[in-house]
Amino acid sequence: MIAGVGALGVVVAVLAFALLNQRAPLNLLPSPSASAEPTLNAELLSHRLTVLVIGLDSDERRRKLEKGINSDTLMVASINADQSELTLTSLPRDTVDVPLPDGTTWGQKVNAIYSGRGVETLVDTMEELLQIDIDAYVQIDMGDLVKMVDAVGGVRVHPHGPLADAHLHLDIAAGRQLLDGKTAEGYVRTRIDSDFQRAARQQEVLLNLVRRIVSPSAAVDLPALLDSLFSFKTDLPPGDLPTLMELARRAQTAEVTTQVLDPDHGFMTFAGDRGDGRGYILEPDIDAMRQFAAQHLKD
């Protein structure tokens, strides 16, 4: 699905998350008397930037119950070298048999790599699967998503049909609407239609959340939001913040491509239960995934 919109690019998402990750006293903008221009990273400005967005199925309640943590959302966000194209690519959590960087194969579901092997192995695995370079990662859990959405006054979404999921206390009509944090959590968690539609909703919410965070009219209390976040982590270098801000400015008119690597688009060779104890699984067409990545995630 390709949409030419006046959207802020993936770098804006990176910028917003980078801003939220500053644990030092916030000094995001120069003082009125400052005259020195910030030093920009010329190399970063002239190359594709690709970030893995990791969404964890955890929150305060689940942590108290000592529930296991899975990375149920795996989304690759990539902005090309001239900041004209943004691509969001989601890999479904039930994907199995993905190649690991050590040459072996992960036979279980891909969402278990995070807890089983760690975030670095997860990033390396996504690089190996898609044959791309990933520059950085950001991670967040369900509870922090709720806080971020509420901090910006909600997110605007446009479901094409009604969504009712009693388990998640979700009951919304079709059409454009503004969701608060708890409703947005249900919106991105429900699989009442399909896991693939859920991934598409996650892309929708991420884009709108980022737009609202960086909007000139936003009144986000960043220090308070910082104090409330628990799960957020990133390996983005704080020293590149001025460059990320410049990339965000350049990416404001980027053309956005969103894609879920699902069976309907030819990215899976099997969807179902093999009777081998893994439950419902998705067997990937790795060649098809790499062909898509070569077209949209590489310069």
Side-chain angles (χ1 to χ4, degrees):
M1 179 174 60
I2 299 177
V5 299
L8 301 175
V10 64
V11 180
V12 183
V14 172
L15 167 62
F17 289 130
L19 292 177
L20 293 175
N21 196 43
Q22 304 306 304
R23 295 304 189 229
L26 291 175
N27 184 17
L28 305 179
L29 297 175
S31 64
S33 60
S35 58
E37 290 294 326
T39 301
L40 300 181
N41 183 334
E43 183 177 0
L44 183 57
L45 282 172
S46 60
H47 289 79
R48 174 179 289 275
L49 180 64
T50 301
V51 177
L52 178 62
V53 180
I54 303 168
L56 305 179
D57 66 341
S58 181
D59 55 19
E60 184 177 2
R61 181 187 66 83
R62 290 175 65 89
R63 286 193 295 272
K64 288 180 178 179
L65 295 174
E66 298 184 347
K67 297 282 189 179
I69 298 176
N70 293 310
S71 53
D72 277 358
T73 298
L74 293 173
M75 187 188 310
V76 176
S78 187
I79 186 77
N80 68 341
D82 66 4
Q83 296 85 47
S84 63
E85 297 176 3
L86 161 67
T87 304
L88 297 180
T89 307
S90 294
L91 180 69
R93 67 172 191 165
D94 294 317
T95 305
V96 299
D97 301 338
V98 297
L100 293 171
D102 63 4
T104 62
T105 298
W106 181 264
Q108 299 303 309
K109 297 182 180 182
V110 70
N111 68 340
I113 294 177
Y114 177 88
S115 58
R117 297 287 184 90
V119 67
E120 291 81 7
T121 298
L122 178 57
V123 172
D124 291 344
T125 299
M126 293 297 291
E127 287 186 320
E128 179 66 24
L129 174 63
L130 300 176
Q131 294 288 283
I132 61 172
D133 293 326
I134 294 176
D135 301 291
Y137 75 89
V138 294
Q139 75 173 46
I140 191 171
D141 71 10
M142 297 182 297
D144 283 347
L145 174 66
V146 172
K147 294 171 185 175
M148 292 175 70
V149 170
D150 284 338
V152 299
V155 290
R156 297 195 180 280
V157 299
H158 187 187
H160 298 294
L163 289 170
D165 188 331
H167 174 67
L168 296 175
H169 309 288
L170 179 71
D171 187 3
I172 62 175
R176 298 185 185 278
Q177 55 199 288
L178 181 70
L179 304 184
D180 63 16
K182 199 61 183 176
T183 308
E185 178 191 11
Y187 186 72
V188 300
R189 285 185 61 196
T190 184
R191 294 183 293 157
I192 200 71
D193 42 7
S194 76
D195 198 37
F196 315 124
Q197 291 298 319
R198 174 173 76 164
R201 288 193 293 273
Q202 291 167 353
Q203 295 173 345
E204 177 190 20
V205 167
L206 175 63
L207 283 171
N208 190 258
L209 173 62
V210 168
R211 290 175 187 145
R212 293 175 74 83
I213 286 176
V214 301
S215 169
S217 62
V220 181
D221 186 342
L222 283 176
L225 185 56
L226 283 173
D227 289 340
S228 70
L229 295 181
F230 176 86
S231 67
F232 181 81
K233 293 182 181 178
T234 182
D235 58 353
L236 286 161
D240 281 332
L241 182 57
T243 304
L244 293 173
M245 295 177 72
E246 173 61 16
L247 283 169
R249 185 190 66 79
R250 297 184 184 186
Q252 289 183 9
T253 58
E255 182 179 78
V256 180
T257 299
T258 60
Q259 181 65 62
V260 179
L261 300 177
D262 59 17
D264 290 344
H265 291 91
F267 294 108
M268 300 292 171
T269 60
F270 174 81
D273 191 336
R274 291 288 194 188
D276 56 8
R278 294 184 294 180
Y280 176 84
I281 60 172
L282 298 167
E283 296 176 356
D285 186 330
I286 294 177
D287 287 340
M289 291 184 181
R290 288 176 175 173
Q291 289 174 13
F292 175 85
Q295 181 179 356
H296 295 282
L297 303 177
K298 293 182 178 181
D299 289 318

